[in-house]
DNA sequence: CGGATGACAGATTTCAATATTTGTCATTCA
DNA sequence: TGAATGACAAATATTGAAATCTGTCATCCG
C-alpha cells in the first residue's frame, strides 16, 4: 500500500480500509497515517481536515454505489418504463449494499449524515437524472408536468423509503417489494398525461 | 399533583412533566416517583417496566398530536379534496409540534424510536383513515385502485418526508411547502381514475 | 524548493472506580 | 386485604484523571 510519493488517491484508499476495520467512531487520522506508513501531518497536506477527508471518501462511495444509474436515465425506452427501471435499480443498489455488508453500510450511513453538503450534491445528481427522464416523457407525450425539475424532486421525495438509509432496517421485511411496487406505480401514474 | 390513591393517569402526567424537564436520556423512574411523592416501587405496581411506561406516554402523545385527523377522514367532501386536506393537516400538526417546541419534539422522537410496536400501531391507525378516504373515492368514481389498503400505505410511504420525524430538520426550510404541494399533487394524480 | 516530519496545545476520548437506576419482593401500614 | 414501602442485586450511568487525537507549524531532508 506504499509507493513513491503520497497521493490523495492512496490516502482515500487507506481511509476506506481503516473505516471498514474500525468503523466511523474509532477511525482516526492517525490510523490512516499508520496504515500508509507516514506521519499524520502528511495526511493534512492533502486534506485540510478530518471532516474533509471523510467527505471525500463518502463522495466516492456514493458515486460507486450509484454507477449505472446514469446509463439507465440516458436510455431510449419509453419514459414510464425507464423511470420504473431507474427507481428499481436505485432501490436494488441501496438494498444490496445494506444487506451484503450491514456494518459497512452503517458506517457509510453515519458518514453521509455528517456532511449536508455531500448529501445535497449527491441528491442533486440523482434529481438531475430524474429530471431528464421526466422531460423525455413530456417530449414523447407520456408524461405531463409543468416543471420537470419539480416533478423530479417530488418523485425522489416520494420514493425516499426505498433509498434513504434511515429506512435501511425495513429493507429486509418480506413485504418491502410489494410496498416499493405500490409507491412506484402510484408515482408513475401520477406523472402520466391524461389521455 | 397528589390525591388519594396513585393512578396510572397521574403517573403518566408526572412522566410527561419529568420528560419535558430532563429529556429522554435523564428522565428516570425515580424522578417520576419523586415528582409524585411516592416510592419508585409504587410506579412499578402500575407499569411493568420503564419501557412500558414510556410507551404509554408516547402513545398518548401521538394520539393527542393527531386528534382531528379522524374527523377529516370521516368528512363528506370529494375524496381528492379530503385526501389533500388530511395530508395537509397531518403535515401541519407535525410541523407545528416540531417548530413550537423543538426540544419536546426531539424528546418524543426519541421515545417513538424506542418502541416499534407503538409506531406500528399508530401507523396502522393513520393508514386505516387513509384507506377509508381512498375507498370513498373509489365508490364515488374519482379514484381508481385495486386494493384501497395497499394504495393507502403507498400514499403514507410516499408522503413520509412530511410526517416522519427523522425529516423534522427540513420542515423549516423555505421551500418545504412547495415540496409538499408537489408530492401531494403527484400522489393524488396517481390515484385519480382515468376519465 | 517542495514534500515530509514530529513536537506541541487544546479538544476529545478512554477507562475504571463510584454512584445511580431498574426491577423484585418480603414487609409494613391503614 | 390491597396499596405502598424500601432494602437489595444486577445492570447502567457518571465522573474525572490519563491517554489519545486533531490541526498547526517550525524544521528537516533529498
Amino acid at each position: 500500500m506504499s509507493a513513491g510519493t503520497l497521493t490523495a488517491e492512496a490516502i482515500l484508499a487507506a481511509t476506506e480500509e481503516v473505516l471498514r476495520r474500525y468503523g466511523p467512531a474509532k477511525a482516526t487520522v492517525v490510523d490512516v497515517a499508520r496504515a500508509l506508513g507516514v506521519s499524520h501531518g502528511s495526511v493534512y497536506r492533502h486534506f485540510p481536515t478530518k471532516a474533509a477527508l471523510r467527505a471525500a471518501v463518502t463522495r466516492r462511495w456514493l458515486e460507486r454505489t450509484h454507477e449505472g444509474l446514469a446509463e439507465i436515465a440516458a436510455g431510449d425506452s419509453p419514459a414510464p418504463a425507464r423511470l420504473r427501471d431507474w427507481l428499481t435499480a436505485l432501490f436494488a443498489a441501496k438494498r444490496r449494499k445494506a444487506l451484503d455488508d450491514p456494518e459497512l453500510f452503517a458506517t457509510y450511513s453515519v458518514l453521509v449524515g455528517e456532511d449536508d453538503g455531500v448529501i445535497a450534491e449527491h441528491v442533486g445528481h440523482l434529481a438531475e437524472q430524474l429530471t431528464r427522464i421526466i422531460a423525455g416523457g413530456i417530449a414523447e407525450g407520456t408524461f405531463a408536468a409543468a416543471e420537470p425539475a419539480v416533478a423530479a424532486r417530488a418523485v425522489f421525495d416520494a420514493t425516499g423509503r426505498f433509498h434513504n438509509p434511515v429506512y435501511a432496517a425495513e429493507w429486509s421485511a418480506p413485504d418491502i417489494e410489494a410496498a416499493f411496487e405500490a409507491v412506484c406505480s402510484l408515482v408513475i401514474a401520477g406523472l402520466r398525461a391524461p389521455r
Side-chain angles (χ1 to χ4, degrees), chain A:
Chain A
M1 197 165 284
S2 63
T5 45
L6 185 61
T7 65
E9 192 54 42
I11 293 173
L12 289 173
T15 305
E16 276 180 21
E17 177 60 15
V18 167
L19 279 165
R20 173 163 33 242
R21 287 174 103 85
Y22 302 122
K26 295 211 194 147
T28 71
V29 175
V30 171
D31 290 331
V32 173
R34 186 162 31 232
L36 288 163
V38 299
S39 75
H40 75 279
S42 300
V43 173
Y44 281 97
R45 174 166 302 283
H46 295 267
F47 296 92
T49 63
K50 180 188 186 184
L53 173 57
R54 286 175 159 231
V57 170
T58 308
R59 222 173 283 120
R60 261 160 61 111
W61 181 78
L62 286 173
E63 275 162 24
R64 229 183 295 139
T65 301
H66 299 129
E67 69 189 354
L69 283 179
E71 213 174 332
I72 294 173
D76 58 355
S77 53
R82 200 149 89 249
L83 178 53
R84 173 166 248 116
D85 287 348
W86 190 90
L87 290 171
T88 305
L90 175 59
F91 180 35
K94 279 281 167 78
R95 197 163 61 145
R96 192 171 342 109
K97 287 276 179 185
L99 300 187
D100 279 4
D101 191 340
E103 286 201 37
L104 191 62
F105 187 81
T107 291
Y108 279 102
S109 294
V110 170
L111 293 190
V112 167
E114 281 174 0
D115 192 315
D116 288 357
V118 171
I119 301 177
E121 187 191 335
H122 180 67
V123 168
H125 288 152
L126 295 179
E128 216 172 280
Q129 295 181 23
L130 277 173
T131 303
R132 246 176 279 136
I133 296 174
I134 291 170
I138 295 171
E140 76 192 21
T142 48
F143 282 161
E147 287 175 82
V150 172
R153 183 60 212 228
V155 169
F156 190 80
D157 287 349
T159 52
R161 193 184 176 207
F162 310 102
H163 50 69
N164 191 324
V166 303
Y167 293 103
E170 301 175 19
W171 294 345
S172 46
D175 54 352
I176 193 72
E177 283 285 354
F180 173 73
E181 275 307 307
V183 170
C184 202
S185 296
L186 180 70
V187 157
I188 292 170
L191 287 172
R192 271 224 151 79
R195 257 157 289 181

